[in-house]
Amino acid sequence: MAKLAAKTYGDSLFELALEEGKIDLFLKEAKFVQQVLDENEDLVKLMTHPKISKEEKENVIENIFKSNISDELTGFLVIVIKKGRFKEIKSIFSYFIAKVKEYKKIGVAFVTTAVELKQEQKEALVKRLIETTEYETMEMNYTTDSSLIGGMIVRIDDRVVDSSIKHKLNDLTRDLLKIQLA
């Protein structure tokens, strides 16, 4: 049910952003609200507490966000509160942000390498990913894992390309174990 709520409300927010021509603004504001909620667990607890009235929750949201985000997004938050869906707000915004990135053809890649990549290697990787995908720009997330020995693992959405030495050694080990000695 929570996934359905995230999709329903996220789609509604996306449609509003399209109609109003405010996709970039809503994206920036959604990220801002998400950051505020991530940094303030007490606020999330307050907003999801069953004994606090919806009216009080609406006042809290308006007091916190009214001067920092657009009236449309403030109104959206109020609607989410009125419908009793605030506990799904993070997944609603995550869905909305992903939808905007898809619309704007922004890919999100997670790259793991054995050693830190040099800047020119990063630029070459971004160029290659743009050439081989439908994305026009890429958001890159780099991590290192020395157990890979060499090579890299690239994950975009549900696609994974594992060209690490560790993966190749595991494949080779598996193949060697299949060989029957006579």
Side-chain angles (χ1 to χ4, degrees):
M1 191 69 174
K3 282 189 177 183
L4 179 61
K7 181 180 179 345
T8 302
Y9 286 88
D11 283 338
S12 297
L13 184 58
F14 181 75
E15 291 301 319
L16 177 64
L18 274 179
E19 285 174 22
E20 298 287 325
K22 296 182 178 180
I23 290 208
D24 291 329
L25 176 66
F26 284 12
L27 176 63
K28 179 180 156 200
E29 291 178 346
K31 287 180 177 180
F32 170 73
V33 172
Q34 215 172 25
Q35 180 184 353
V36 169
L37 295 174
D38 287 343
E39 292 172 357
N40 297 288
E41 277 300 314
D42 289 339
L43 175 61
V44 175
K45 288 177 186 173
L46 175 83
M47 297 306 298
T48 56
H49 198 283
K51 294 196 176 177
I52 297 174
S53 73
K54 289 180 181 179
E55 292 78 22
E56 290 175 291
K57 292 176 183 179
E58 289 170 27
N59 288 335
V60 169
I61 287 299
E62 287 179 350
N63 288 335
I64 293 173
F65 293 112
K66 188 77 169 159
S67 61
N68 296 309
I69 61 175
S70 64
D71 290 342
E72 294 93 344
L73 203 61
T74 304
F76 177 79
L77 290 171
V78 169
I79 289 170
V80 170
I81 292 166
K82 283 182 179 177
K83 297 292 185 180
R85 294 293 189 181
F86 197 85
K87 62 183 169 277
E88 285 107 17
I89 195 67
K90 289 181 182 183
S91 54
I92 291 169
F93 280 143
S94 293
Y95 179 87
F96 170 74
I97 291 167
K99 186 132 176 129
V100 170
K101 287 180 181 179
E102 179 185 322
Y103 174 78
K104 295 182 78 160
K105 295 190 182 289
I106 300 170
V108 180
F110 296 87
V111 179
T112 306
T113 55
V115 294
E116 181 103 17
L117 293 177
K118 296 179 180 133
Q119 188 58 38
E120 57 271 7
Q121 292 172 312
K122 290 179 179 180
E123 290 168 5
L125 178 59
V126 169
K127 184 177 182 233
R128 181 76 176 129
L129 290 174
I130 289 173
E131 289 171 356
T132 58
T133 64
E134 70 277 5
Y135 301 114
E136 295 174 1
T137 57
M138 297 297 298
E139 283 183 11
M140 304 297 289
N141 300 285
Y142 297 99
T143 56
T144 57
D145 179 357
S146 59
S147 74
L148 296 181
I149 304 168
M152 70 177 64
I153 301 170
V154 179
R155 183 174 65 81
I156 301 173
D157 295 325
D158 59 350
R159 295 174 290 178
V160 177
V161 176
D162 189 342
S163 63
S164 67
I165 303 296
K166 179 181 178 181
H167 178 73
K168 290 177 182 175
L169 285 173
N170 286 340
D171 284 349
L172 182 60
T173 302
R174 208 173 315 114
D175 290 345
L176 288 173
L177 290 172
K178 289 179 184 175
I179 297 174
Q180 302 256 341
L181 296 176

